[in-house]
Amino acid sequence: MAKVYATGKRKTAIAKVWVSAPGKGSITVNGVDFEAWLGGHETIKKRVRQPLALTKQEASFDIVASTQGGGYSAQADAVRHGISKALAAMDADFRTILKPYGLLTRDSRIVERKKYGRKKARRSPQFSKR
C-alpha cells in the first residue's frame, strides 16, 4: 500500500493531501465527505477532480486532505494542487500528463496590500474639485 503526501497552496489557503494507492476513489476533506464539503458548487468540484480525470484514476486512489486559511474556492484549488503534486510523485508518467495543463505550478497571485492614503490597494479617495 503506497501513501504519498503533498502540500498544495493557493492565495492564503494551504492543503495537506495524502493519496493512498489501492482505493475506491473516495475524497475526504477536513474529516467531511467531499460532496458535503463543497455542497452544490459543481464547477469547483470538477476543478478539484481534474487531475484524477486527466490521468484516468478517478476510482484508483483514496484521498484525505486537510485545509486551512482562505475561502472554500482557494482551499479547493489548494487541494487540486496537492493532488496533482502527489500524483506526479507517485508516477513519472502522470507528471507528463499534468504539466501541460499547469496543474503542478503554484498559482502565486495573492492579494496586494493596502497602501497608506488609499481606500484599498490602488483605489484612491474620491476627488472633489470644489
Side-chain angles (χ1 to χ4, degrees):
M1 181 168 170
K3 200 170 194 181
V4 177
Y5 169 78
T7 306
K9 294 182 180 181
R10 171 77 171 99
K11 291 186 177 182
T12 57
I14 300 169
K16 300 172 188 175
V17 181
W18 290 269
V19 178
S20 304
K24 301 177 186 93
S26 67
I27 303 174
T28 308
V29 182
N30 296 336
V32 181
D33 180 51
F34 177 67
E35 297 294 327
W37 181 63
L38 274 177
H41 300 282
E42 294 303 321
T43 311
I44 298 173
K45 286 182 195 174
K46 191 173 181 182
R47 231 171 36 210
V48 172
R49 287 194 199 102
Q50 187 182 8
L52 296 168
L54 290 171
T55 56
K56 297 175 178 64
Q57 302 296 320
E58 289 100 334
S60 304
F61 297 115
D62 283 341
I63 298 167
V64 177
S66 92
T67 59
Q68 61 184 36
Y72 63 88
S73 181
Q75 285 183 355
D77 282 345
V79 170
R80 177 176 81 160
H81 185 228
I83 292 170
S84 301
K85 283 172 65 175
L87 289 174
M90 275 188 162
D91 191 355
D93 295 336
F94 291 158
R95 182 175 178 80
T96 57
I97 296 168
L98 297 170
K99 188 79 172 147
Y101 290 93
L103 297 174
L104 298 173
T105 308
R106 195 254 201 244
D107 191 349
S108 61
R109 295 176 296 169
I110 57 169
V111 178
E112 190 176 342
R113 79 171 203 85
K114 184 194 174 298
K115 274 50 161 223
Y116 171 77
R118 303 273 174 157
K119 298 261 186 202
K120 291 167 49 176
R122 298 183 181 205
R123 168 83 170 101
S124 54
Q126 186 172 3
F127 176 73
S128 174
K129 197 176 251 184
R130 285 174 197 88

